[in-house]
């Protein structure tokens, strides 16, 4: 897709879901063996134009997500480059056994896109919110996990995932009017984090929707004379080990910020690596605490779970020892 200011702003306005549909529309012109599978979400995933333009490269399995993974694995075994997409809890949790057996164990290469993960569908409650997907899929061998920072990075992630040999799960967080982290082209590499700002006191590792909020929190911390390095850890598996090691050697405190359960996600991945490093600094894991709250709007739930920039900054201030 053409990368310019106009498109970057447009992707931001329509949000990561619709951006997936536009990206697929472009990729279908280049990738001869592309197949996109959905479960009754062509409109929700921004795929209506794709479905009409490339009917031979599209299958709708209805509300049958487990079947979708089986069909996707079969197509992959015949040489197709397969993308599956539906709402995140149905793409991952409902299909866990099928993903384990067909994708992990049998090593069939699929690119799975979980739309509206995290708290974006909060008005529908925790049947549709998804705070467990990273923790579940991280324990299945052979699956790369990417959580794009904004709509533009969603484009980058999907393009890179189709070129990768092993299966990928792309976790989309946020909604329409998705804040821009990137306003111009940049180098995206699976497994390699991106340093967005540099500071000498703390390092904030963030992923998905929380990258923008972490950048804003860093500005607030600067007003309190705390200098922060902010790193976009877009790939949660495999983790950028070198970035964690460098942070542990240069920072007084490490912070992880994610729109996911504090158990099993980015914070846990960093903790596992940090435990191998002698005399490593304190880790503050910021995310959704291990309980299901009542539903509500996206903005309400971010406030409730202290994932706004103000509350992220306050949490860090309360835990930072100068």
């Amino acid at each position: 897709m053409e990368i310019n200011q106009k498109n970057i702003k447009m992707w931001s306005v329509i949000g990561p879901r619709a951006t997936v549909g536009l990206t697929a529309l472009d990729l279908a012109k280049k990738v001869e063996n592309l197949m996109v599978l959905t479960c009754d979400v062509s409109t929700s995933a921004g795929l209506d134009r794709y479905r009409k333009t490339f009917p031979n490269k599209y299958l709708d399995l209805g509300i049958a997500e487990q079947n979708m993974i089986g069909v996707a694995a079969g197509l992959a075994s015949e040489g197709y480059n397969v993308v599956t997409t539906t709402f995140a809890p149905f793409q991952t949790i409902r299909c866990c056994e099928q993903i384990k057996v067909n994708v992990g164990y049998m090593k069939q290469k699929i690119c799975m896109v979980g739309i509206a993960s995290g708290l974006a569908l909060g008005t529908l409650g925790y049947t549709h919110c998804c705070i467990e997907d990273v923790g579940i899929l991280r324990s299945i061998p052979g699956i790369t996990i990417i959580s794009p920072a904004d709509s533009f990075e969603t484009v980058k992630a999907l393009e890179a995932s189709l070129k990768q040999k092993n299966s990928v799960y792309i976790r989309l967080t946020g909604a329409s009017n998705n804040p821009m982290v990137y306003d111009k082209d940049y180098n995206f590499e699976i497994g390699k984090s991106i340093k967005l700002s540099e500071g000498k006191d703390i390092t904030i590792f963030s992923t998905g929707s929380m990258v923008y909020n972490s950048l804003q929190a860093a500005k607030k911390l600067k007003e309190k004379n705390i200098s922060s390095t902010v790193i976009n850890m877009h790939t949660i598996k495999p983790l950028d080990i070198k970035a964690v090691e460098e942070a542990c050697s240069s920072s007084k405190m490490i912070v992880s910020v994610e729109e996911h359960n504090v158990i099993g996600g980015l914070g846990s991945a960093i903790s596992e690596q940090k435990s191998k490093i002698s005399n490593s600094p304190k880790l503050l894991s910021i995310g959704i605490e291990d309980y299901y709250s009542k539903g509500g709007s996206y903005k309400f739930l971010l406030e409730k779970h202290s994932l706004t920039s103000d509350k992220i900054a306050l949490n860090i201030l309360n835990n930072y020892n100068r």
Side-chain angles (χ1 to χ4, degrees):
M1 296 181 74
E2 185 176 353
I3 295 171
N4 53 42
Q5 287 287 321
K6 181 180 177 181
N7 279 343
I8 291 171
K9 288 179 180 178
M10 182 263 293
W11 295 329
S12 172
V13 170
I14 65 176
R17 277 201 248 171
T19 298
V20 165
L22 289 180
T23 307
L25 196 63
D26 182 72
L27 288 171
K29 301 170 187 175
K30 308 171 187 175
V31 182
E32 183 65 30
N33 62 344
L34 182 67
M35 283 294 295
V36 176
L37 277 59
T38 68
C39 285
D40 200 27
V41 296
S42 64
T43 300
S44 299
L47 287 164
D48 280 337
R49 283 178 62 193
Y50 179 93
R51 172 176 57 84
K52 294 171 184 175
T53 307
F54 298 102
N56 294 328
K57 293 187 175 185
Y58 177 86
L59 285 176
D60 192 326
L61 278 297
I63 305 175
E65 293 82 2
Q66 293 159 325
N67 288 345
M68 178 178 68
I69 297 299
V71 172
L75 288 168
S77 73
E78 293 298 317
Y80 286 92
N81 218 331
V82 186
V83 176
T84 65
T85 184
T86 184
F87 292 108
F90 314 136
Q91 172 70 84
T92 56
I93 303 168
R94 183 171 292 174
C95 304
C96 187
E97 182 184 0
Q98 286 72 28
I99 292 171
K100 171 194 168 181
V101 174
N102 294 320
V103 181
Y105 188 33
M106 296 178 65
K107 298 182 175 64
Q108 299 298 343
K109 191 262 173 131
I110 301 171
C111 176
M112 301 172 285
V113 181
I115 60 175
S117 192
L119 302 170
L121 294 180
T123 52
L124 299 176
Y126 280 84
T127 56
H128 285 65
C129 288
C130 195
I131 63 171
E132 316 88 353
D133 46 352
V134 176
I136 290 169
L137 293 189
R138 217 164 54 86
S139 64
I140 298 177
I143 299 177
T144 294
I145 301 173
I146 302 172
S147 185
D150 61 8
S151 294
F152 181 19
E153 193 158 76
T154 298
V155 176
K156 294 275 195 180
L158 190 54
E159 290 178 340
S161 297
L162 287 178
K163 296 174 184 177
Q164 173 142 308
K165 289 183 179 180
N166 64 301
S167 289
V168 181
Y169 172 56
I170 300 177
R171 180 183 201 252
L172 301 184
T173 51
S176 55
N177 294 311
N178 193 243
M180 285 190 295
V181 173
Y182 299 100
D183 60 5
K184 59 184 178 181
D185 201 6
Y186 67 102
N187 184 50
F188 176 90
E189 184 178 339
I190 292 175
K192 188 172 182 180
S193 62
I194 301 171
K195 187 179 290 185
L196 299 175
S197 68
E198 190 149 11
K200 58 183 175 58
D201 295 322
I202 67 173
T203 296
I204 304 173
F205 288 103
S206 52
T207 191
S209 58
M210 292 297 107
V211 175
Y212 179 83
N213 287 12
S214 294
L215 284 167
Q216 297 304 305
K219 293 177 182 178
K220 300 175 193 301
L221 291 170
K222 189 175 182 180
E223 296 171 0
K224 302 293 183 180
N225 297 316
I226 297 176
S227 176
S228 310
T229 293
V230 178
I231 294 177
N232 171 18
M233 194 69 92
H234 51 71
T235 307
I236 302 171
K237 182 185 178 182
L239 193 72
D240 187 344
I241 293 172
K242 184 178 179 181
V244 176
E245 291 174 343
E246 288 178 354
C248 287
S249 66
S250 62
S251 298
K252 300 170 188 174
M253 185 170 80
I254 308 295
V255 182
S256 65
V257 189
E258 59 192 314
E259 195 178 320
H260 184 275
N261 193 327
V262 290
I263 296 172
L266 175 64
S268 293
I270 292 172
S271 179
E272 289 160 14
Q273 183 57 36
K274 204 171 76 69
S275 68
K276 303 173 186 177
I277 303 171
S278 299
N279 302 314
S280 59
K282 174 182 178 179
L283 170 65
L284 172 63
S285 294
I286 298 175
I288 298 162
E289 295 300 323
D290 189 32
Y291 75 99
Y292 293 120
S293 66
K294 291 182 179 179
S297 70
Y298 187 39
K299 183 179 179 181
F300 168 80
L301 288 176
L302 290 178
E303 282 280 353
K304 183 174 183 61
H305 292 283
S306 299
L307 291 175
T308 61
S309 58
D310 285 339
K311 291 190 175 181
I312 290 168
L314 181 61
N315 196 343
I316 293 171
L317 275 171
N318 290 339
N319 284 276
Y320 178 65
N321 295 318
R322 295 179 187 272

